[in-house]
């Protein structure tokens, strides 16, 4: 249980300001009777709203699992608008790492890569990210120096709120990174834009890159030092980790490589006192919030106090069957939902995918060949996330389905891989011997011995190692695009392009379409090419 986590606080705060769920505008004001001046009149009030800022990442709504902060025509299940669930669908279902047997045309079009601007699950992620930006903008606007002074907030209280404001700016930058990565050129609004009737302008991808970079650098000194903030809240290391990720993909976003900067910022994280979790599987158990030296920033979940059928509940339940007896060993005695599994390409990257050698190979039963995407037994089950503790205990769940496992947004393993790849791609400041050391540290943890050490590696080996280390954590689509293997026919996987053995797809699919409803409602928006 994570009873001290700031996410949980947001559930109990009747005074927390609720923002409009309209997904077409990013300039909304509070709509309940608790005015901004009243809510922000005390330092405690500011922290309450900060809880809402964080809570919007782990919850679909602060008013219950059946409601959603974003309302989208065609979506009746609020859980599909959860941030992690929506993001994961777009990042994983479109790749060799996942295929879903649920007979939903919106889901099926992800793996076959023939999605359109009318796909409501694309809209779910787009709307959720904009909502979270809206929540951040409102907090940032109300925590400016002049606002604090007008409310008589000074001294340590003002200093604390300055840190809260930096955290909100980080979370906003993170969501703008998500929109930039998936949609390219989204609408753009900050706290400086007017409230009321305001039509957001569209920002170009390269300009958004510059904005995100400048925001992350500007807040660096205002955030808590690495590992010194409350669990689940952003600190300087999270800031550096996002910069490292941003720079690793800079050539895709702007046309200009920034591998030297990726080395610099991944190196700052690596030097900040983190270490690898001893056993890989314990990164994804229901007690992964305890004594975890590797995770830099998680999304925290609590089955009792912050219920959500998205998040890791979705990841655990959608990868396990409907038999409660079988699913007890995975911490969901109420039974899973089944649906998500992998194509053969993921387990085969391990060679021996039994888990007897490389312990990162956390797979269950299934058939390597997928004769039909709608056949639940075709494909290989992925058992990476579990609701069992590291000692084999099943934590309390109100219905035997809701899970307590936290999701690692940023962790040290990724930063090693950023350093490795950026060095291999020719970034200056990286040391080849150090990169090899990091490569072998990951392999030694995976195999739980040093017999797996290698004396060298290629760039293709880096991509394979990223898959072995980071599969099902939301990286694969972005990785394949960076390596030139997402579209086209250089690399295929079962049912890519709607063909059993895989086929090439058009290059315009490297970006998702801006939802059709948004194009209609905002005349400033131009649709991405090909849609």
């Amino acid at each position: 249980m994570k009873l001290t986590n700031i996410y949980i606080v947001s559930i109990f705060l009747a005074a927390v300001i609720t923002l409009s769920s309209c997904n077409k505008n990013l300039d909304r004001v509070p709509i309940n009777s608790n005015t901004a001046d009243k809510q922000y009149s005390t330092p405690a009030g500011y922290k309450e709203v900060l809880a809402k800022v964080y809570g919007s990442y782990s919850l679909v709504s602060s008013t219950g699992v059946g409601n959603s902060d974003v309302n989208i025509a065609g979506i009746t299940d609020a859980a599909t608008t959860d941030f992690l669930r929506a993001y994961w669908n777009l990042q994983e279902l479109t790749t060799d790492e996942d295929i879903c047997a649920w007979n939903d045309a919106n889901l099926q079009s992800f793996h076959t890569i023939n999605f359109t601007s009318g796909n409501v699950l694309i809209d779910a992620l787009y709307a959720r990210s904009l909502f979270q930006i809206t929540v951040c903008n409102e907090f940032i606007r109300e925590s400016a120096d002049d606002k604090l002074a007008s409310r008589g907030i000074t001294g340590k209280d003002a200093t604390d709120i300055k840190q809260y404001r930096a955290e909100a700016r980080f979370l906003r930058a993170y969501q703008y990174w998500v929109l930039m990565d998936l949609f390219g050129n989204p609408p753009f609004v900050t706290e400086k834009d007017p409230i009321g009737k305001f039509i957001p302008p569209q920002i170009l991808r390269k300009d958004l890159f510059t904005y995100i970079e400048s925001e992350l650098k500007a807040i660096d000194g205002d955030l808590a030092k690495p590992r010194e903030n409350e669990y689940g809240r952003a600190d300087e290391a999270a800031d550096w980790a996002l910069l490292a990720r941003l720079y690793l993909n800079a050539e895709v976003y702007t046309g200009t490589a920034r591998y030297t900067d990726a080395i610099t910022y991944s190196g700052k994280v690596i030097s900040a006192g983190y270490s690898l979790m001893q056993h890989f599987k314990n990164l994804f158990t229901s007690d992964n919030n305890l004594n975890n030296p590797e995770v830099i920033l998680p999304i925290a979940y609590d089955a009792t106090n912050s219920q959500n059928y998205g998040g890791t509940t979705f990841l655990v339940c959608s990868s396990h069957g409907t038999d409660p007896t079988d699913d007890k060993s995975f911490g969901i005695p109420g039974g899973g939902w089944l649906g998500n599994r992998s194509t053969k390409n993921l387990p085969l990257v391990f060679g021996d995918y039994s888990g007897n050698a490389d312990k990162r190979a956390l797979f269950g039963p299934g058939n390597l060949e997928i004769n039909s995407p709608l056949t639940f037994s075709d494909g290989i089950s992925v058992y990476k996330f579990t609701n069992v503790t590291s000692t084999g205990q099943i934590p309390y769940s109100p219905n035997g389905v809701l899970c307590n496992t936290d999701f690692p947004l940023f962790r040290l393993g990724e930063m090693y891989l950023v350093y490795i790849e950026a060095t291999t791609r020719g970034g200056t400041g990286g040391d080849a011997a150090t990169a090899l050391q990091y490569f072998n540290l990951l392999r030694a943890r995976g195999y739980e011995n040093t017999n797996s050490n290698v004396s060298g590696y290629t760039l293709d080996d880096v991509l394979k190692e990223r898959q072995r280390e980071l599969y099902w954590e939301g990286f694969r689509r972005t990785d394949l695009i960076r390596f030139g293997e997402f579209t086209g026919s250089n690399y295929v996987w079962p049912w890519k392009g709607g063909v059993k053995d895989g086929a090439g797809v058009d290059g315009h699919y490297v970006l998702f379409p801006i939802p059709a409803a948004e194009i209609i409602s905002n005349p400033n928006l131009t649709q991405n090419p090909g849609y």
Side-chain angles (χ1 to χ4, degrees), residues 85 98-103 107 313-323 326-327 330 332 334-342 364-366 373-383 401 472:
R85 181 168 174 172
D98 186 58
I99 188 168
C100 186
W102 296 341
N103 189 16
L107 283 171
T313 291
F314 163 72
L315 293 183
V316 175
C317 290
S318 69
S319 60
H320 297 286
T322 56
D323 185 340
D326 293 338
D327 285 330
F330 300 102
I332 44 174
W337 311 332
L338 196 57
N340 286 315
R341 65 265 193 241
S342 172
L374 302 182
T375 299
F376 286 83
S377 58
D378 284 359
I380 299 296
S381 299
V382 177
Y383 288 172
V401 173
W472 270 42

Side-chain angles (χ1 to χ4, degrees), residues 255-316:
T256 302
R258 299 284 296 274
Y259 298 117
T260 296
D261 293 313
I263 290 169
T264 297
Y265 281 92
S266 60
K268 286 169 71 74
V269 179
I270 292 167
S271 300
Y274 297 90
S275 60
L276 295 179
M277 177 76 84
Q278 182 179 6
H279 299 294
F280 181 78
K281 68 181 181 65
N282 290 347
L283 282 166
F284 313 101
T285 57
S286 63
D287 59 349
N288 61 352
N289 63 305
L290 301 175
N291 303 315
N292 190 330
E294 181 169 348
V295 171
I296 299 159
L297 181 66
I299 301 179
Y301 298 97
D302 187 295
T304 303
N305 298 293
S306 57
Q307 297 178 358
N308 181 1
Y309 286 99
T312 51
T313 291
F314 163 72
L315 293 183
V316 175

Side-chain angles (χ1 to χ4, degrees), residues 7-58:
Y7 294 81
I8 298 168
V9 176
S10 66
I11 298 301
F12 300 106
L13 295 172
V16 164
I17 292 176
T18 302
L19 300 175
S20 168
S21 62
C22 176
N23 65 321
K24 298 180 176 61
N25 296 300
L26 289 78
D27 59 344
R28 308 301 293 178
V29 295
I31 60 171
N32 66 6
S33 60
N34 190 33
T35 66
D37 283 339
K38 180 178 178 182
Q39 177 63 44
Y40 292 107
S41 62
T42 66
Y46 274 94
K47 193 166 186 181
E48 288 172 357
V49 184
L50 181 67
K52 174 66 177 180
V53 172
Y54 277 97
S56 66
Y57 282 73
S58 64

